[in-house]
Amino acid sequence: MDCLFCNIASGKIPSKKVYEDDLCYAFYDIDPQAPTHFLVIPKAHIASVSAVTPENEAVVGHMFSVIAKLAQELGLDSYRVVSNIGEQAGQSVFHLHFHVLSGRDMTWPPG
Ligand code: 5GP
Ligand code: ZN
C-alpha cells in the first residue's frame, strides 16, 4: 500500500521533523493552520481513530505523552489536538495523525 504518511515516517518522503522515536514521528504540517502546527503519527500504519483497537491502543497513549512533552519543550501553554476521522470530518490522509495547533485564538465549535 502506498501511503503518504508511511513514506514520511520512513523518511522516503522528506519532512520537517519535530521528534522521532521507535513508535512515532512528529513533523510540521506543509500547510499550517496556526503559527505552530505539527502532526504526530504512528510509524506503523493505522488508518484513523476508527482503526484503533486493544491490539494497537498503546501507541496512541504513547503519542499523547509525546504531544505533552513536545508542547512543554516548545513552550506551548495553550494548544489544540485534533484528529479528523472520515472525509466529512475533513480527513484527507488515511493514516492516523493528531494535529497540534497553537499560537492563535481558536474558535469553538470547530467549523
Ligand atoms: P487531514 O486533512 O487528514 O486531517 O490532515 C492531513 C494534513 O496533512 C493536512 O493538514 C495537510 O496539510 C498535511 N499534509 C498533506 N500532505 C503533506 C506532506 O506531504 N507533508 C506535510 N508535512 N504535510 C502534509
Ligand atoms: Zn500509512
Side-chain angles (χ1 to χ4, degrees), residues 35-95:
T36 299
H37 183 181
F38 62 88
L39 305 171
V40 182
I41 66 175
K43 286 195 168 171
H45 183 85
I46 299 172
S48 78
V49 168
S50 288
V52 175
T53 64
E55 285 67 43
N56 63 22
E57 69 186 8
V59 71
V60 178
H62 177 69
M63 287 160 73
F64 273 89
S65 75
V66 165
I67 288 170
K69 179 177 107 83
L70 293 177
Q72 196 171 18
E73 284 175 5
L74 295 169
L76 312 180
D77 37 50
S78 186
Y79 57 99
R80 186 171 286 179
V81 179
V82 175
S83 194
N84 299 319
I85 297 104
E87 274 171 39
Q88 190 178 28
Q91 186 175 10
S92 61
V93 178
F94 290 81
H95 178 128

Side-chain angles (χ1 to χ4, degrees), residues 2 8 12 28 36-37 44 51-52 54 77 82 95 97 100-101 106:
D2 205 34
I8 285 180
K12 230 182 277 175
Y28 286 105
T36 299
H37 183 181
V52 175
D77 37 50
V82 175
H95 178 128
H97 49 284
V100 179
L101 300 135
M106 306 269 171

